[in-house]
Amino acid sequence: MPSAGCKPSLAVAAIVLAQCLSTSLWFSPSGVADSLMQAWQLSATSFGWLLAATQLGFIAGTMVFALSGAADRFQPTRIFVVCSAIGALANAAVTWGVTDYGVFWSLRFVVGMCLAGIYPLGMKMLVQRVGSQPAAALGWLVGMLTLGTAMPHGLRALGQSWPWPEVLLGSSALALVGAALVAWMGQPPKQAASPATTTTLPPVRLNTQALREVMAVRGFRASALGYFGHMWELYAFWSVLPWLSLPIHRALVTAGYGWAPSVALISFAAIGIGFLGCVLGGIWSRRVGSARVAATALAASGLMCLGYPLIPNAWPLVQLGALLFWGICVVADSPQFSAMSSQHAPPQWLGSALVLQNGVGFFITVLSILLLGWAVQQWGSMALWLLAPGPLLGLWALRPLLKEV
């Protein structure tokens, strides 16, 4: 039974937990990459296209929600619940006797469209509950998205003997629990509403005037370009973690350690630890500003792009530590870019600005995922150098905002 009178603190906890559970759909194939590729006889490129399908679906879903105005016309809790349920079904459907790759790809596209009703709408629900001070809560929300992305690897780590369909079904079950949490939470009490929490984004009008005016704003342009560089690295790094984790696992086993973490556990830890980066980055931004936090994260992750391939395979513990450090840095700047872009975008074009930034950013992830997925098969960890231009572009773009600090 929905609880419209749910306390704000309890509601925030429910939202961020539901975000974690429902976004486990995002990278569910990655949690079983090895067995899935073997069962479907997929090449690295074909598997990369499955991940790209989710990204493309997210772009399409975001555009549909934005241009139709559905995100403002319907209650966000209802959209979240419906999208979580449909996404869970689409994610699970591939285990129900599907044998055609095209059907598999289409189902992943549907999952991506549903995620457009989960991640952004989770942010909107959070703002409705916390009012005019959402910065710290936003860090928690993006952190929980990161944990949700890691969740399929965590499921595989818990059940090493599970066949790949069980892991996908587990992700779908988690998404249904997330939907149930939001349904239980209900709508915020009417008496708690305020102008800050009820104001919606200006209508999205993607026309040439909007694009010109948005990109003409120096602060928004700096934040958007920094975000594009960040997105070139983020999802591609997450997508190849199973391949990066495999030599670490093998080296630890060969070295005779009493216990060696599995590939799935290393992947889960390297993604999930980004939760700390988001939360701690949000706290630090109150003292030094979002631009400095984002620049620090970009610089650190850029150094990892360049330095990680130089670590010898004979040093598996150093590689493991480096992956965990990289996992913290690679996503810590994400909430900060959202905050900076919202601050600098022209108010009359705010909706268009955010749609433009997210649409271009996620399209960039499609390119980097496909490129890196192919390159690691050819060059191993040396392929990570292909990610370095992203953080470098981001640092170059942030210069105007750093001067304002």
Side-chain angles (χ1 to χ4, degrees):
M1 180 177 179
S3 176
C6 184
K7 293 182 179 180
S9 58
L10 188 58
V12 168
I15 291 169
V16 297
L17 179 57
Q19 183 88 340
C20 174
L21 297 173
S22 293
T23 53
S24 66
L25 301 172
W26 210 311
F27 269 69
S28 57
S30 293
V32 286
D34 51 352
S35 56
L36 185 60
M37 291 174 68
Q38 183 178 1
W40 280 73
Q41 297 183 334
L42 299 177
S43 65
T45 300
S46 297
F47 183 80
W49 271 109
L50 287 178
L51 302 183
T54 310
Q55 306 299 90
L56 291 170
F58 182 83
I59 296 169
T62 300
M63 296 297 292
V64 168
F65 277 113
L67 296 176
S68 67
D72 292 327
R73 291 207 303 266
F74 301 101
Q75 292 289 353
T77 52
R78 294 177 181 174
I79 296 176
F80 189 102
V81 170
V82 170
C83 287
S84 290
I86 296 176
L89 291 174
N91 183 65
V94 73
T95 69
W96 302 338
V98 173
T99 58
D100 183 75
Y101 177 81
V103 175
F104 195 173
W105 193 95
S106 299
L107 288 171
R108 292 307 304 170
F109 185 88
V110 172
V111 169
M113 291 194 70
C114 291
L115 285 164
I118 295 173
Y119 177 35
L121 273 296
M123 287 189 175
K124 182 172 181 177
M125 288 190 296
L126 197 69
V127 171
Q128 286 181 330
R129 295 283 180 168
V130 301
S132 60
Q133 296 181 332
L138 187 61
W140 280 89
L141 191 75
V142 178
M144 293 305 271
L145 164 69
T146 305
L147 279 180
T149 302
M151 197 64 70
H153 296 289
L155 288 173
R156 185 58 180 272
L158 288 174
Q160 284 294 309
S161 60
W162 292 357
W164 66 267
E166 301 300 323
V167 176
L168 264 62
L169 290 172
S171 295
S172 291
L174 292 176
L176 292 176
V177 174
L181 266 176
V182 172
W184 165 81
M185 180 190 69
Q187 305 300 327
K190 291 183 179 179
Q191 63 270 25
S194 67
T197 62
T198 56
T199 300
T200 59
L201 290 179
V204 176
R205 290 166 282 174
L206 291 179
N207 54 49
T208 56
Q209 179 185 356
L211 299 183
R212 285 198 306 268
E213 291 190 17
V214 164
M215 294 308 295
V217 178
R218 188 185 186 192
F220 177 81
R221 186 170 66 247
S223 179
L225 289 175
Y227 174 78
F228 297 157
H230 155 76
M231 292 296 276
W232 174 261
E233 178 194 14
L234 176 62
Y235 281 88
F237 169 69
W238 282 348
S239 72
V240 298
L241 271 171
W243 285 272
L244 298 178
S245 303
L246 181 58
I248 296 176
H249 169 74
R250 287 175 174 170
L252 291 175
V253 170
T254 303
Y257 286 88
W259 176 81
S262 65
V263 170
L265 184 56
I266 296 172
S267 301
F268 170 77
I271 298 176
I273 201 171
F275 170 82
L276 292 177
C278 291
V279 174
L280 296 178
I283 296 172
W284 190 33
S285 68
R286 294 177 176 178
R287 298 180 57 187
V288 301
S290 292
R292 283 185 179 174
V293 174
T296 302
L298 284 170
S301 58
L303 288 174
M304 295 308 302
C305 292
L306 296 172
Y308 187 86
L310 303 179
I311 302 175
N313 288 333
W315 298 355
L317 291 178
V318 176
Q319 289 180 319
L320 178 58
L323 279 187
L324 295 177
F325 176 73
W326 197 351
I328 292 175
C329 302
V330 75
V331 72
D333 48 355
S334 193
Q336 309 310 318
F337 282 118
S338 297
M340 289 186 291
S341 294
S342 298
Q343 177 185 355
H344 290 282
Q348 70 274 23
W349 300 121
L350 180 57
S352 297
L354 296 180
V355 169
L356 170 67
Q357 176 172 297
N358 281 275
V360 174
F362 274 89
F363 180 76
I364 288 171
T365 68
V366 174
L367 302 179
S368 61
I369 285 172
L370 293 175
L371 175 61
L372 192 62
W374 169 83
V376 293
Q377 302 298 316
Q378 310 299 318
W379 309 320
S381 63
M382 294 297 179
L384 295 172
W385 287 340
L386 295 173
L387 296 181
L392 291 176
L393 169 64
L395 286 170
W396 174 82
L398 280 177
R399 290 178 303 162
L401 295 179
L402 290 171
K403 292 177 181 178
E404 296 176 0
V405 178

